[in-house]
Amino acid sequence: MSSRSISIAGSRTEVVLYAVAALAGFFIVWQLLVMYTAVGMVMPSPIEVVEAMVASCADPIGSKTLPMHILFSLRRVLIGYLLAVLIGIPVGILMGCFQVGEAIIKPVFEIFRPIPGLAWIPLAILWFGIGEESKYFIICVSAAVSIILNTYEGAKSVDPTLVGAARMLGANDFQVFVFVTIPSSVPHIFAGLQVGLSSSWMAVIAAEMIRSSEGTGWIITTGMDSGNTVQILIGMVSIGFIGLILASLLRGLEKKLCTWRIQGR
Amino acid sequence: MSRVDVVNLTKRFGDLLVLDNISFSVGNGEFLCIVGPTGCGKTTFLNSLAHLYDIDAGRITIDGEDVDLQKHSIAYIMQEYSAMSWLTVRENIEFGLKIRKVPKDVMKRNADEAIELVGLSKFADYYPNQLSASMLQRVAIGRAFAVKPDLLLMDEPYGQLDIDLRFQLEDELLKLWQHTHTTVIFITHNIEEAVYLSEKILVLTNKPTTVKAEYSNELPRPRDVTDPAFIDVRNKITDLIKWW
């Protein structure tokens, strides 16, 4: 993906420059709109938001400071997401590699697949109460779908030529699985992990907006309740940045594990 | 280095009879080319031979024993590029050895030798997406020779290459073959290629495929495609292959 944007924009430094310029432009336009138009009546300026964010690192919003709120949300995401990974990858592989697995799991999965994670909120509350468990559950369900789907696609789309080549070299089923199916699915699995991560980050916000006493979602809802637009934007901006950081971390891991896809492009 | 016997090989896909009662033998260290009209089931034939397909009747034996991929060492070089894109050239060439759990030092030695033979020493740490088409095919050939196969099957391996690259790889293949004395079964639709490479040529008919003729190619090596004797053999094979 990065190679395509590089080829449009030129060198790597140029890409960075464009990104910085675009972000700066965005914030300048926002600032100007707030200062000189009616937008100022309903929106705080970016400078106000940044100032308030810095201040909230020391002065708590509600009972906790901003970093603590973020850590609470992150913990929920990581637990729910890890559960989704632990469930999603094996299920996807079962479906993609074994015809019996596909025949049994796929029909059930196809029914669950269109149900958004948020539709599980009522059941989650009934089953697990309004504590942390129901949040983990919602996050896990939201992330698992895309992880399962992509892992399945990856395991399914293994090039039969390669499987044939491995068999000819004497590979048994297990060796084909370990040396061909798994490595060739890795890029697909990563795509699923990436989508799953952003789904779970979205789900935590929704889960916290329903009931919690801390977290970035909670910042937004209480901001809404008190008509505090600065506070709402603090929540939103934090979500944006943390989401970006998480996605970049995962991309970094993918680059490490899939050097073969990056080299030579 | 093995003798291969195919006896009454028959393969159907549903009602479609593809291979009809095919019998032939390839001697120890012999280079056999199989030619036939397009769509005559050459690839099916090779896949059956390689046990990638179950056969419906007949027997395929190597040195008198039924083919068993876990025991016999068969290497297959296909038309499609079959290098594993997540492995470097060296890792690709070591792949078969790793599957066979060859000791590390032997693995390294065999791989070094194979990499050298296919001329990829400088590219041992490259990934397939950094290589050209002919280099990818060399990786497959290196991987095949690294396992020191009893039998090497090749299915139009050079079909997608330019003519000069093809000539070059054909010469390399002959060198490898002479060096290793591997038994080779090479499928092609290119009659010139078959005459250039083989010691024996098997001409197949249209579907249902049977053996139309077996031609013993005794042209001296190195062969010259412009030599009248060469052209004479080529014409003979062309006449045999004609189904119109």
Side-chain angles (χ1 to χ4, degrees), chain B residues 133-154:
Chain B
S134 69
M135 287 159 99
L136 286 175
Q137 221 36 328
R138 285 199 179 119
V139 172
I141 292 166
R143 185 173 64 192
F145 276 102
V147 298
K148 315 250 183 220
D150 302 319
L151 171 64
L152 178 62
L153 304 176
M154 304 181 81

PDB file of all heavy atoms in Angstrom, chain B residues 133-154:
ATOM      1  N   ALA B 133      11.344 -13.734 -14.639  1.00  0.00           N
ATOM      2  CA  ALA B 133      10.663 -14.992 -14.943  1.00  0.00           C
ATOM      3  C   ALA B 133      11.638 -16.151 -15.077  1.00  0.00           C
ATOM      4  O   ALA B 133      11.412 -17.229 -14.525  1.00  0.00           O
ATOM      5  CB  ALA B 133       9.847 -14.835 -16.222  1.00  0.00           C
ATOM      6  N   SER B 134      12.746 -15.933 -15.797  1.00  0.00           N
ATOM      7  CA  SER B 134      13.662 -17.053 -16.000  1.00  0.00           C
ATOM      8  C   SER B 134      14.350 -17.433 -14.694  1.00  0.00           C
ATOM      9  O   SER B 134      14.617 -18.594 -14.435  1.00  0.00           O
ATOM     10  CB  SER B 134      14.696 -16.708 -17.065  1.00  0.00           C
ATOM     11  OG  SER B 134      15.573 -15.722 -16.586  1.00  0.00           O
ATOM     12  N   MET B 135      14.593 -16.438 -13.853  1.00  0.00           N
ATOM     13  CA  MET B 135      15.211 -16.745 -12.560  1.00  0.00           C
ATOM     14  C   MET B 135      14.250 -17.541 -11.683  1.00  0.00           C
ATOM     15  O   MET B 135      14.662 -18.447 -10.960  1.00  0.00           O
ATOM     16  CB  MET B 135      15.624 -15.454 -11.852  1.00  0.00           C
ATOM     17  CG  MET B 135      16.844 -14.799 -12.487  1.00  0.00           C
ATOM     18  SD  MET B 135      16.902 -13.069 -12.056  1.00  0.00           S
ATOM     19  CE  MET B 135      18.057 -13.092 -10.721  1.00  0.00           C
ATOM     20  N   LEU B 136      12.959 -17.224 -11.763  1.00  0.00           N
ATOM     21  CA  LEU B 136      11.979 -17.972 -10.977  1.00  0.00           C
ATOM     22  C   LEU B 136      11.976 -19.436 -11.402  1.00  0.00           C
ATOM     23  O   LEU B 136      11.888 -20.338 -10.564  1.00  0.00           O
ATOM     24  CB  LEU B 136      10.579 -17.389 -11.174  1.00  0.00           C
ATOM     25  CG  LEU B 136      10.319 -16.067 -10.473  1.00  0.00           C
ATOM     26  CD1 LEU B 136       8.953 -15.534 -10.853  1.00  0.00           C
ATOM     27  CD2 LEU B 136      10.398 -16.249  -8.965  1.00  0.00           C
ATOM     28  N   GLN B 137      12.070 -19.649 -12.711  1.00  0.00           N
ATOM     29  CA  GLN B 137      12.066 -21.029 -13.188  1.00  0.00           C
ATOM     30  C   GLN B 137      13.366 -21.722 -12.753  1.00  0.00           C
ATOM     31  O   GLN B 137      13.369 -22.900 -12.442  1.00  0.00           O
ATOM     32  CB  GLN B 137      11.871 -21.036 -14.700  1.00  0.00           C
ATOM     33  CG  GLN B 137      10.947 -22.076 -15.291  1.00  0.00           C
ATOM     34  CD  GLN B 137       9.720 -22.452 -14.495  1.00  0.00           C
ATOM     35  OE1 GLN B 137       9.681 -22.455 -13.263  1.00  0.00           O
ATOM     36  NE2 GLN B 137       8.683 -22.823 -15.192  1.00  0.00           N
ATOM     37  N   ARG B 138      14.445 -20.956 -12.694  1.00  0.00           N
ATOM     38  CA  ARG B 138      15.701 -21.536 -12.201  1.00  0.00           C
ATOM     39  C   ARG B 138      15.586 -21.936 -10.737  1.00  0.00           C
ATOM     40  O   ARG B 138      16.165 -22.934 -10.320  1.00  0.00           O
ATOM     41  CB  ARG B 138      16.834 -20.522 -12.326  1.00  0.00           C
ATOM     42  CG  ARG B 138      17.321 -20.353 -13.716  1.00  0.00           C
ATOM     43  CD  ARG B 138      18.701 -19.715 -13.661  1.00  0.00           C
ATOM     44  NE  ARG B 138      19.210 -19.547 -14.984  1.00  0.00           N
ATOM     45  CZ  ARG B 138      19.524 -18.359 -15.499  1.00  0.00           C
ATOM     46  NH1 ARG B 138      19.384 -17.272 -14.787  1.00  0.00           N
ATOM     47  NH2 ARG B 138      19.976 -18.286 -16.729  1.00  0.00           N
ATOM     48  N   VAL B 139      14.846 -21.148  -9.972  1.00  0.00           N
ATOM     49  CA  VAL B 139      14.643 -21.501  -8.564  1.00  0.00           C
ATOM     50  C   VAL B 139      13.958 -22.861  -8.480  1.00  0.00           C
ATOM     51  O   VAL B 139      14.372 -23.748  -7.737  1.00  0.00           O
ATOM     52  CB  VAL B 139      13.800 -20.432  -7.827  1.00  0.00           C
ATOM     53  CG1 VAL B 139      13.434 -20.902  -6.430  1.00  0.00           C
ATOM     54  CG2 VAL B 139      14.553 -19.115  -7.754  1.00  0.00           C
ATOM     55  N   ALA B 140      12.905 -23.036  -9.296  1.00  0.00           N
ATOM     56  CA  ALA B 140      12.176 -24.306  -9.287  1.00  0.00           C
ATOM     57  C   ALA B 140      13.095 -25.459  -9.693  1.00  0.00           C
ATOM     58  O   ALA B 140      13.041 -26.549  -9.113  1.00  0.00           O
ATOM     59  CB  ALA B 140      10.974 -24.224 -10.215  1.00  0.00           C
ATOM     60  N   ILE B 141      13.944 -25.202 -10.682  1.00  0.00           N
ATOM     61  CA  ILE B 141      14.857 -26.257 -11.142  1.00  0.00           C
ATOM     62  C   ILE B 141      15.888 -26.572 -10.054  1.00  0.00           C
ATOM     63  O   ILE B 141      16.170 -27.734  -9.763  1.00  0.00           O
ATOM     64  CB  ILE B 141      15.534 -25.825 -12.466  1.00  0.00           C
ATOM     65  CG1 ILE B 141      14.476 -25.776 -13.571  1.00  0.00           C
ATOM     66  CG2 ILE B 141      16.658 -26.791 -12.841  1.00  0.00           C
ATOM     67  CD1 ILE B 141      14.909 -25.058 -14.826  1.00  0.00           C
ATOM     68  N   GLY B 142      16.396 -25.515  -9.425  1.00  0.00           N
ATOM     69  CA  GLY B 142      17.349 -25.709  -8.334  1.00  0.00           C
ATOM     70  C   GLY B 142      16.735 -26.504  -7.198  1.00  0.00           C
ATOM     71  O   GLY B 142      17.361 -27.415  -6.640  1.00  0.00           O
ATOM     72  N   ARG B 143      15.483 -26.158  -6.866  1.00  0.00           N
ATOM     73  CA  ARG B 143      14.793 -26.858  -5.787  1.00  0.00           C
ATOM     74  C   ARG B 143      14.632 -28.334  -6.130  1.00  0.00           C
ATOM     75  O   ARG B 143      14.766 -29.206  -5.278  1.00  0.00           O
ATOM     76  CB  ARG B 143      13.423 -26.201  -5.577  1.00  0.00           C
ATOM     77  CG  ARG B 143      12.655 -26.747  -4.402  1.00  0.00           C
ATOM     78  CD  ARG B 143      11.406 -25.946  -4.153  1.00  0.00           C
ATOM     79  NE  ARG B 143      10.481 -26.046  -5.279  1.00  0.00           N
ATOM     80  CZ  ARG B 143       9.408 -25.271  -5.427  1.00  0.00           C
ATOM     81  NH1 ARG B 143       9.119 -24.358  -4.547  1.00  0.00           N
ATOM     82  NH2 ARG B 143       8.626 -25.418  -6.463  1.00  0.00           N
ATOM     83  N   ALA B 144      14.340 -28.595  -7.415  1.00  0.00           N
ATOM     84  CA  ALA B 144      14.162 -29.975  -7.851  1.00  0.00           C
ATOM     85  C   ALA B 144      15.472 -30.751  -7.760  1.00  0.00           C
ATOM     86  O   ALA B 144      15.505 -31.855  -7.220  1.00  0.00           O
ATOM     87  CB  ALA B 144      13.622 -30.004  -9.272  1.00  0.00           C
ATOM     88  N   PHE B 145      16.558 -30.148  -8.260  1.00  0.00           N
ATOM     89  CA  PHE B 145      17.819 -30.886  -8.265  1.00  0.00           C
ATOM     90  C   PHE B 145      18.414 -31.008  -6.870  1.00  0.00           C
ATOM     91  O   PHE B 145      19.173 -31.933  -6.596  1.00  0.00           O
ATOM     92  CB  PHE B 145      18.820 -30.236  -9.220  1.00  0.00           C
ATOM     93  CG  PHE B 145      18.639 -30.690 -10.633  1.00  0.00           C
ATOM     94  CD1 PHE B 145      18.005 -29.892 -11.567  1.00  0.00           C
ATOM     95  CD2 PHE B 145      19.072 -31.959 -11.020  1.00  0.00           C
ATOM     96  CE1 PHE B 145      17.817 -30.333 -12.871  1.00  0.00           C
ATOM     97  CE2 PHE B 145      18.892 -32.405 -12.315  1.00  0.00           C
ATOM     98  CZ  PHE B 145      18.261 -31.586 -13.245  1.00  0.00           C
ATOM     99  N   ALA B 146      18.076 -30.090  -5.980  1.00  0.00           N
ATOM    100  CA  ALA B 146      18.638 -30.132  -4.628  1.00  0.00           C
ATOM    101  C   ALA B 146      18.260 -31.422  -3.904  1.00  0.00           C
ATOM    102  O   ALA B 146      19.022 -31.914  -3.083  1.00  0.00           O
ATOM    103  CB  ALA B 146      18.179 -28.920  -3.823  1.00  0.00           C
ATOM    104  N   VAL B 147      17.095 -31.964  -4.196  1.00  0.00           N
ATOM    105  CA  VAL B 147      16.681 -33.192  -3.494  1.00  0.00           C
ATOM    106  C   VAL B 147      17.252 -34.438  -4.169  1.00  0.00           C
ATOM    107  O   VAL B 147      16.941 -35.558  -3.765  1.00  0.00           O
ATOM    108  CB  VAL B 147      15.137 -33.325  -3.390  1.00  0.00           C
ATOM    109  CG1 VAL B 147      14.560 -32.174  -2.589  1.00  0.00           C
ATOM    110  CG2 VAL B 147      14.482 -33.409  -4.754  1.00  0.00           C
ATOM    111  N   LYS B 148      18.095 -34.249  -5.174  1.00  0.00           N
ATOM    112  CA  LYS B 148      18.678 -35.379  -5.913  1.00  0.00           C
ATOM    113  C   LYS B 148      17.589 -36.381  -6.290  1.00  0.00           C
ATOM    114  O   LYS B 148      17.581 -37.518  -5.795  1.00  0.00           O
ATOM    115  CB  LYS B 148      19.750 -36.090  -5.072  1.00  0.00           C
ATOM    116  CG  LYS B 148      20.707 -35.134  -4.384  1.00  0.00           C
ATOM    117  CD  LYS B 148      22.076 -35.205  -4.999  1.00  0.00           C
ATOM    118  CE  LYS B 148      23.031 -34.296  -4.262  1.00  0.00           C
ATOM    119  NZ  LYS B 148      23.954 -33.560  -5.058  1.00  0.00           N
ATOM    120  N   PRO B 149      16.678 -35.969  -7.142  1.00  0.00           N
ATOM    121  CA  PRO B 149      15.508 -36.810  -7.409  1.00  0.00           C
ATOM    122  C   PRO B 149      15.859 -38.077  -8.188  1.00  0.00           C
ATOM    123  O   PRO B 149      16.800 -38.090  -8.970  1.00  0.00           O
ATOM    124  CB  PRO B 149      14.625 -35.895  -8.249  1.00  0.00           C
ATOM    125  CG  PRO B 149      15.552 -34.943  -8.906  1.00  0.00           C
ATOM    126  CD  PRO B 149      16.673 -34.732  -7.941  1.00  0.00           C
ATOM    127  N   ASP B 150      15.058 -39.127  -7.930  1.00  0.00           N
ATOM    128  CA  ASP B 150      15.153 -40.332  -8.755  1.00  0.00           C
ATOM    129  C   ASP B 150      14.586 -40.028 -10.127  1.00  0.00           C
ATOM    130  O   ASP B 150      14.991 -40.593 -11.122  1.00  0.00           O
ATOM    131  CB  ASP B 150      14.297 -41.465  -8.152  1.00  0.00           C
ATOM    132  CG  ASP B 150      14.711 -41.797  -6.743  1.00  0.00           C
ATOM    133  OD1 ASP B 150      15.923 -41.825  -6.503  1.00  0.00           O
ATOM    134  OD2 ASP B 150      13.822 -42.018  -5.902  1.00  0.00           O
ATOM    135  N   LEU B 151      13.579 -39.168 -10.113  1.00  0.00           N
ATOM    136  CA  LEU B 151      12.855 -38.884 -11.342  1.00  0.00           C
ATOM    137  C   LEU B 151      12.482 -37.415 -11.352  1.00  0.00           C
ATOM    138  O   LEU B 151      11.976 -36.880 -10.373  1.00  0.00           O
ATOM    139  CB  LEU B 151      11.576 -39.750 -11.385  1.00  0.00           C
ATOM    140  CG  LEU B 151      10.580 -39.455 -12.487  1.00  0.00           C
ATOM    141  CD1 LEU B 151      11.179 -39.725 -13.854  1.00  0.00           C
ATOM    142  CD2 LEU B 151       9.325 -40.310 -12.302  1.00  0.00           C
ATOM    143  N   LEU B 152      12.750 -36.777 -12.470  1.00  0.00           N
ATOM    144  CA  LEU B 152      12.418 -35.360 -12.602  1.00  0.00           C
ATOM    145  C   LEU B 152      11.326 -35.208 -13.653  1.00  0.00           C
ATOM    146  O   LEU B 152      11.501 -35.627 -14.797  1.00  0.00           O
ATOM    147  CB  LEU B 152      13.668 -34.583 -13.017  1.00  0.00           C
ATOM    148  CG  LEU B 152      13.495 -33.090 -13.244  1.00  0.00           C
ATOM    149  CD1 LEU B 152      13.050 -32.385 -11.976  1.00  0.00           C
ATOM    150  CD2 LEU B 152      14.810 -32.471 -13.737  1.00  0.00           C
ATOM    151  N   LEU B 153      10.204 -34.655 -13.246  1.00  0.00           N
ATOM    152  CA  LEU B 153       9.103 -34.418 -14.180  1.00  0.00           C
ATOM    153  C   LEU B 153       9.059 -32.938 -14.512  1.00  0.00           C
ATOM    154  O   LEU B 153       9.112 -32.095 -13.627  1.00  0.00           O
ATOM    155  CB  LEU B 153       7.766 -34.811 -13.534  1.00  0.00           C
ATOM    156  CG  LEU B 153       7.644 -36.234 -13.020  1.00  0.00           C
ATOM    157  CD1 LEU B 153       6.301 -36.416 -12.318  1.00  0.00           C
ATOM    158  CD2 LEU B 153       7.768 -37.221 -14.171  1.00  0.00           C
ATOM    159  N   MET B 154       8.947 -32.624 -15.788  1.00  0.00           N
ATOM    160  CA  MET B 154       8.893 -31.215 -16.165  1.00  0.00           C
ATOM    161  C   MET B 154       7.731 -31.003 -17.125  1.00  0.00           C
ATOM    162  O   MET B 154       7.609 -31.697 -18.125  1.00  0.00           O
ATOM    163  CB  MET B 154      10.204 -30.785 -16.809  1.00  0.00           C
ATOM    164  CG  MET B 154      11.401 -31.059 -15.912  1.00  0.00           C
ATOM    165  SD  MET B 154      12.976 -30.538 -16.607  1.00  0.00           S
ATOM    166  CE  MET B 154      12.983 -28.814 -16.242  1.00  0.00           C
TER     167      MET B 154
END
